[in-house]
Amino acid sequence: MRVGRPVKPLPHPDCDYCGVPATLARSDDEVYPYRDDHGPLWVCAPCQAWIGVFPRSTRQVPLGRLADAALRDLKTKLHAALEPLAQAKVRRDACNIFEARAKGLKWLAQQIGADPVKPSIHSLDAAQCERAIAILEEFARTRQNNPSENAWDER
Ligand SMILES: [Zn+2]
């Protein structure tokens, strides 16, 4: 028997730090943290935590969890650690950078026990970011001794 498809509620993330529902802020709002327009953000002003939404998302679906200053910093470091390895893969396998990043993230998610189905830096918490950075640093060291190794490749 078919019943009517349930109406999907609009996504409304809670702050991961205090548990209070986040506020959707736009660039002219008082709580908007950037001077420039970076698109709509889900913000928790007391925690100074925020997350962007998917580009062109009409439902303002958040990219992941809200991130405070410490987590934003870790995500920047993780991105910086991932990028040279993704670019090395592009040079070696002539794939595009999005594919290389996606493969790297998928591999990383498996390493740290995060969801490998939709891997995203924005869904990681601080502990997962720290583990991922440590794994990438170790991987970069091994790769220096053994440049043909690439753990990201499917086996
Ligand atoms: Zn909060």
Side-chain angles (χ1 to χ4, degrees), residues 15 17-18 44 47:
C15 175
Y17 304 96
C18 68
C44 177
C47 295

Side-chain angles (χ1 to χ4, degrees), residues 22-102:
T23 314
L24 188 66
R26 293 166 203 279
S27 62
D28 48 0
D29 289 336
E30 200 183 316
V31 295
Y32 198 81
Y34 298 115
R35 220 180 298 168
D36 306 324
D37 189 356
H38 290 248
L41 298 171
W42 289 100
V43 178
C44 177
C47 295
Q48 284 296 290
W50 60 82
I51 185 70
V53 303
F54 281 97
R56 292 176 299 280
S57 170
T58 51
R59 300 171 68 241
Q60 317 296 357
V61 177
L63 288 167
R65 68 177 62 236
L66 268 72
D68 65 1
L71 182 54
R72 287 194 296 276
D73 193 41
L74 283 168
K75 288 198 294 191
T76 305
K77 284 198 181 112
L78 176 52
H79 183 78
L82 188 64
E83 200 54 19
L85 297 172
Q87 283 177 6
K89 186 170 171 61
V90 168
R91 283 193 299 273
R92 208 198 52 170
D93 298 349
C95 60
N96 72 50
I97 188 71
F98 301 103
E99 200 184 324
R101 281 187 199 131

Side-chain angles (χ1 to χ4, degrees), residues 112-139:
I112 61 173
D115 179 5
V117 180
K118 281 187 185 168
S120 158
I121 285 184
H122 300 299
S123 62
L124 305 179
D125 63 23
Q128 288 173 321
C129 276
E130 276 169 359
R131 277 211 297 284
I133 292 165
I135 287 167
L136 284 174
E137 283 172 352
E138 176 62 35
F139 178 58

